[in-house]
Amino acid sequence: NPTTGASLPSMPQREMQYLNPEQIDELARAIDPRHRVWLYTMAWTGLRFGEAAALRRRNVDILRSELRIVESATEVDGTIHCGSPKTNRHRTVHLPVFLRDMLNDHLTTVTDPDADALVFTSTDGTVMRRHNFGRRQWKPATDAAGFKSLRMHDLRHTAAALMISVNESPETVKRQ
């Protein structure tokens, strides 16, 4: 192997960031109202961007307050590909009561009634693309709310911190 013995440059580590519930609300007020439920879902469940982009109505169980994560959307060379989640394992994510109610309202007023309909879409009703969403929605909202260096992935850290703050077990945090 020609790379044997080669050393890689060190990558600077970015400090993990997370928001408290008041900061989540502040960011939600700054983002386009069409994406508020997406933001709350990301911050309170720890979904990856692609998992939320591929979430379909049939995988939302309001009665059990659960999301079934069975797909993830990834953009490669301008084309969206839907496939298994990052770990190739399906999982169930539990929703806090307030988020379940918020998501139920979103499903009845915004999401198409078809079982295969995407729960969260771009402003034109198509699958969310990470780069476009970041540029058009995320960056303006984080700048407006004063969280200029916050990354979308930091919402996963936020969800973990929120679960730890209510004494969820490490195993539950890991599974979620």
Side-chain angles (χ1 to χ4, degrees), residues 77-114:
D77 294 328
T79 302
I80 298 291
H81 300 275
C82 287
S84 294
K86 184 176 180 179
T87 59
N88 290 318
R89 290 181 15 210
H90 299 175
R91 71 184 191 282
T92 299
V93 173
H94 299 280
L95 301 169
V97 173
F98 86 91
L99 181 55
R100 178 204 60 205
D101 296 342
M102 193 181 284
L103 198 52
N104 187 48
D105 184 54
H106 179 83
L107 289 171
T108 57
T109 60
V110 177
T111 304
D112 187 281
D114 185 87

Side-chain angles (χ1 to χ4, degrees), residues 38 42 47-55 69 71-75 80-86 118 127-128 130 152:
W38 170 87
M42 298 290 283
L47 296 185
R48 293 175 179 92
F49 184 88
E51 294 169 342
L55 184 64
I69 308 305
E71 282 185 286
S72 186
T74 307
E75 185 174 2
I80 298 291
H81 300 275
C82 287
S84 294
K86 184 176 180 179
L118 294 170
V127 67
M128 295 173 72
R130 184 182 183 90
M152 281 186 265

Side-chain angles (χ1 to χ4, degrees), residues 11 37 44-45 55 86 92 100 107 113 123 127 139 163:
M11 297 292 291
V37 177
W44 287 90
T45 66
L55 184 64
K86 184 176 180 179
T92 299
R100 178 204 60 205
L107 289 171
T123 52
V127 67
K139 181 82 170 105
M163 285 185 274

Side-chain angles (χ1 to χ4, degrees), residues 3-171:
T3 62
T4 300
S7 60
L8 297 173
S10 61
M11 297 292 291
Q13 290 283 333
R14 284 190 64 185
E15 187 173 328
M16 285 189 267
Q17 296 184 57
Y18 54 91
L19 303 175
N20 63 39
E22 294 78 23
Q23 291 169 318
I24 295 167
D25 291 339
E26 189 174 338
L27 184 55
R29 285 189 296 274
I31 203 162
D32 185 313
R34 291 172 288 198
H35 300 295
R36 285 191 182 137
V37 177
W38 170 87
L39 174 70
Y40 281 108
T41 301
M42 298 290 283
W44 287 90
T45 66
L47 296 185
R48 293 175 179 92
F49 184 88
E51 294 169 342
L55 184 64
R56 297 187 186 276
R57 176 185 274 280
R58 67 177 133 77
N59 294 317
V60 178
D61 189 336
I62 294 296
L63 294 177
R64 290 193 173 109
S65 298
E66 294 176 344
L67 304 177
R68 286 181 301 282
I69 308 305
V70 298
E71 282 185 286
S72 186
T74 307
E75 185 174 2
V76 179
D77 294 328
T79 302
I80 298 291
H81 300 275
C82 287
S84 294
K86 184 176 180 179
T87 59
N88 290 318
R89 290 181 15 210
H90 299 175
R91 71 184 191 282
T92 299
V93 173
H94 299 280
L95 301 169
V97 173
F98 86 91
L99 181 55
R100 178 204 60 205
D101 296 342
M102 193 181 284
L103 198 52
N104 187 48
D105 184 54
H106 179 83
L107 289 171
T108 57
T109 60
V110 177
T111 304
D112 187 281
D114 185 87
D116 284 332
L118 294 170
V119 174
F120 304 112
T121 62
S122 65
T123 52
D124 65 359
T126 60
V127 67
M128 295 173 72
R129 295 171 182 264
R130 184 182 183 90
H131 177 74
N132 288 347
F133 186 83
R135 185 171 38 86
R136 295 175 185 161
Q137 303 296 329
W138 183 256
K139 181 82 170 105
T142 55
D143 286 353
F147 304 119
K148 293 182 186 294
S149 63
L150 190 72
R151 302 166 299 171
M152 281 186 265
H153 189 77
D154 290 327
L155 295 177
R156 280 180 60 80
H157 305 303
T158 295
L162 291 169
M163 285 185 274
I164 290 167
S165 74
V166 294
N167 298 318
E168 285 289 355
S169 71
E171 183 61 29

